Amino acid sequence: MNNTKRLEILTRLRNENPHPKTELNYSSPFELLVAVTLSAQATDVGVNKATDKLFPIANTPEAIYALGVDGLKTYIKTIGLFNSKAENVIKACKMLIDLHGSVVPQDREALEMLPGVGRKTANVVLNTAFGWPTIAVDTHIYRVSNRTKLAMGKTVNHVEQKLIKVIPAEFKVDVHHWLILHGRYTCIARKPRCGSCLIEDLCEFKDKTDI
């Protein structure tokens, strides 16, 4: 994959979706932080069903902390790993209250100190809530990047570093969303929909389908 192809791929993705957004429902950096924390090994649809009930009742660190672990579980029990997620969110709320004045920090190190927040979650929050040119690599982005040969790597961290290196600055803020959506709806895991893909002629995947 050369840079000319990469530029054309990114240009087409941008032309199709000039202002991409996350499919998680949120209205503040804190709501986004909670939603992304809950989304690990869960679908955005499933998370939204839970947070659409939770956030009208509690959408600040103080309000969710006041629910307690058991109270929070009643809202998120339909989400996978809800027991550990409830504990992490409550602990994170306590840290936000005590250490950050109940404000989500615009700082990677501080974010990654919060329970349940790893590099990917921090990247999503920094990118989506604050407009940082970070690239959060999940299973969709990892698959699309390797399958198309846009940015190949053996681990998610390798792919992230390769993307940061090869993606021009003008695309960095939005590329995370484009690749996730492309992997979620077109370049799907079992049988990619190559026949309906707008970058099929640029993709270097060998086993293309007619779908």
Side-chain angles (χ1 to χ4, degrees):
M1 175 70 64
N2 58 46
N3 287 332
T4 300
K5 276 189 177 182
R6 290 191 181 98
L7 181 61
E8 180 60 24
I9 286 172
L10 294 166
T11 300
R12 290 186 193 180
L13 292 173
R14 180 172 63 185
N15 288 343
E16 183 190 45
N17 188 4
H19 306 291
K21 296 179 180 178
T22 177
E23 293 187 319
L24 289 170
N25 295 338
Y26 76 99
S27 61
S28 70
F30 175 70
E31 287 187 1
L32 178 65
L33 175 65
V34 172
V36 178
T37 301
L38 296 177
S39 72
Q41 298 183 47
T43 66
D44 286 2
V45 172
V47 172
N48 287 339
K49 286 181 180 178
T51 57
D52 285 350
K53 296 178 181 178
L54 170 65
F55 290 155
I57 302 299
N59 69 341
T60 65
E62 290 86 355
I64 289 184
Y65 185 72
L67 291 175
V69 173
D70 290 338
L72 180 56
K73 284 182 184 179
T74 64
Y75 290 96
I76 67 169
K77 61 187 177 181
T78 56
I79 300 174
L81 307 176
F82 73 92
N83 286 309
S84 60
K85 289 176 180 178
E87 292 180 6
N88 284 334
V89 169
I90 292 297
K91 290 176 182 176
C93 287
K94 179 64 171 170
M95 288 182 67
L96 288 172
I97 295 166
D98 291 346
L99 303 178
H100 302 289
S102 299
V103 176
V104 176
Q106 294 190 47
D107 177 88
R108 179 188 299 282
E109 185 176 356
L111 284 170
E112 291 187 19
M113 290 292 291
L114 299 173
V117 178
R119 183 175 181 85
K120 186 186 79 173
T121 297
N123 275 338
V124 172
V125 172
L126 290 171
N127 175 271
T128 304
F130 303 120
W132 285 32
T134 55
I135 303 174
V137 178
D138 68 351
T139 55
H140 294 301
I141 294 180
Y142 179 80
R143 179 177 66 254
V144 170
S145 296
N146 276 292
R147 185 182 274 169
T148 62
K149 296 185 170 52
L150 179 69
M152 299 179 70
K154 293 183 178 180
T155 68
V156 292
N157 285 336
H158 289 157
V159 170
E160 179 187 339
Q161 295 308 312
K162 184 67 178 292
L163 286 168
I164 289 172
K165 181 178 179 180
V166 302
I167 300 299
E170 66 179 295
F171 298 103
K172 277 195 171 118
V173 170
D174 292 323
V175 69
H176 156 83
H177 297 295
W178 290 325
L179 295 181
I180 279 185
L181 294 171
H182 193 65
R184 187 171 288 166
Y185 297 111
T186 302
C187 197
I188 57 178
R190 291 188 179 181
K191 195 170 185 180
R193 296 164 178 159
C194 302
S196 57
C197 175
L198 81 165
I199 61 169
E200 180 185 8
D201 58 314
L202 301 167
C203 169
E204 297 185 3
F205 180 52
K206 292 182 180 179
D207 302 318
K208 292 179 180 175
T209 70
D210 295 326
I211 299 175

